[in-house]
Structure formats: structure tokens, C-alpha cells
Amino acid sequence: MNMDIVEGKWEQLKGKAKEKWGKLTNDDWTVIEGKRDQMAGLIQERYGRAKDEVEKEIEDWFRDN
């Protein structure tokens, strides 16, 4: 898979993720850039949720998208 396709897929997923986790800023998404562990940490911080709860939520979201 070439990088243009990967980058396009990330942009699509990022748009859907922004709908789900609206408390994360555009700067947050720039930092995350596909790094799942950073995504989980920011969601935990912004929403005040437990790590295992966030990990499951992200796993479910990726599976559905």
C-alpha cells in the first residue's frame, strides 16, 4: 500500500474520530497521527476515563470503522 493511500485512510478515520471524541483538538490529532497509545492517553485525560475503558472503546471503534 503506498503512502498516499495510507495518508488518505488516516484522514478519513481522523474525521470519524473527531465526531466521536470531539473534546480532542486539531492539535491533539496532529500529535496523535495514528499512534494509538497517544490517542488513548489523550482520551483518558480529556474525558476522565479509566485506561481499560478507553482501550476497549478504541478497539471497538477501530473494529467498526
Side-chain angles (χ1 to χ4, degrees), residues 10-48:
W10 170 245
E11 289 302 316
Q12 290 174 359
L13 278 175
K14 186 166 61 170
K16 290 180 181 181
K18 283 180 178 181
E19 291 175 13
K20 179 156 181 69
W21 295 291
K23 290 183 182 179
L24 298 181
T25 67
N26 285 333
D27 288 342
D28 292 335
W29 291 110
T30 299
V31 169
I32 292 168
E33 285 302 323
K35 298 177 192 103
R36 185 177 170 150
D37 58 331
Q38 288 183 340
M39 181 178 178
L42 285 171
I43 291 170
Q44 276 183 270
E45 181 181 315
R46 297 290 194 284
Y47 288 87

Side-chain angles (χ1 to χ4, degrees), residues 20-21 36 39-41 43 53-63:
K20 179 156 181 69
W21 295 291
R36 185 177 170 150
M39 181 178 178
I43 291 170
E53 178 185 354
V54 170
E55 289 291 338
K56 181 175 182 341
E57 183 176 0
I58 292 171
E59 180 65 34
D60 293 345
W61 184 81
F62 272 112
R63 185 185 59 247

